[in-house]
Amino acid sequence: MPNTLIFVDLAADDPSACARFYEEVFGWRNDPRPEGEYHRMVPGGQFRNPDGTDSEIGNLHIGIFKAGNARPHPEPAGVAPREVASDGRRPRVWILIDDDDTPERILGAATERGARELWRNHYWSTFNGYNHAFVDPWGNEIVLWGKAGPSPVVPEHFTRE
């Protein structure tokens, strides 16, 4: 078995506020460990089988850590840098849009809470998906992914690649 991805962490100068943002935008459960230092965001549910039923595999979690003292670390006071990234490319987090949700609702909820929309309405044929993106108030880039299906009909106003 190869090495397994178990978590992706987002940096924030205020992990509590960042956790509330994701709780409100995506409906994820906020699990502070401890409050204000590190928050585990729990999407809940299971990955789906091809027939739409729940598999035995739980959805992945996202962590939110305090940029001022990223834990865990061997040094109790942490080390520099102590601020969120502000320049250049950063890792992107891809979120699959639930069949009961819409990119319009998600982008609206995110921008109402201080996110900046990057783009919307793009079709990526390589992976057969519709995508949209925003940067959260802490500089983390989120790409929304919508399944296009076996015979996609890409709306005329979508960009394509």
Side-chain angles (χ1 to χ4, degrees):
M1 174 143 186
N3 298 317
T4 303
L5 174 68
I6 58 169
F7 250 82
V8 173
D9 282 346
L10 304 177
D13 54 6
D14 185 346
S16 297
C18 188
R20 278 191 307 278
F21 175 89
Y22 285 98
E23 184 175 41
E24 293 169 358
V25 171
F26 291 113
W28 296 342
R29 184 170 54 94
N30 175 10
D31 183 17
R33 296 186 169 214
E35 175 74 38
E37 296 297 320
Y38 189 90
H39 290 248
R40 180 177 71 157
M41 302 309 296
V42 184
Q46 305 294 109
F47 279 103
R48 301 261 166 84
N49 291 312
D51 67 0
T53 61
D54 286 346
S55 76
E56 68 280 357
I57 303 166
N59 282 325
L60 301 175
H61 300 165
I62 292 179
I64 301 170
F65 70 92
K66 188 173 186 174
N69 187 356
R71 310 305 315 150
H73 194 280
E75 297 293 327
V79 295
R82 296 183 184 280
E83 63 279 333
V84 296
S86 60
D87 294 325
R89 288 282 181 200
R90 293 177 280 288
R92 298 183 296 180
V93 177
W94 294 75
I95 307 297
L96 178 62
I97 301 166
D98 188 80
D99 293 340
D100 295 328
D101 208 344
T102 67
E104 294 79 17
R105 192 219 48 89
I106 295 168
L107 289 169
T111 57
E112 286 171 10
R113 290 161 176 81
R116 179 173 49 90
E117 183 178 309
L118 295 175
W119 41 270
R120 65 170 67 203
N121 302 336
H122 183 71
Y123 174 69
W124 193 9
S125 62
T126 302
F127 292 101
N128 191 30
Y130 303 121
N131 28 92
H132 324 266
F134 66 87
V135 173
D136 75 14
W138 300 272
N140 299 297
E141 190 171 336
I142 307 300
V143 181
L144 304 175
W145 185 268
K147 298 175 204 170
S151 299
V153 176
V154 182
E156 285 296 318
H157 66 283
F158 274 50
T159 55
R160 296 163 174 78
E161 68 180 281

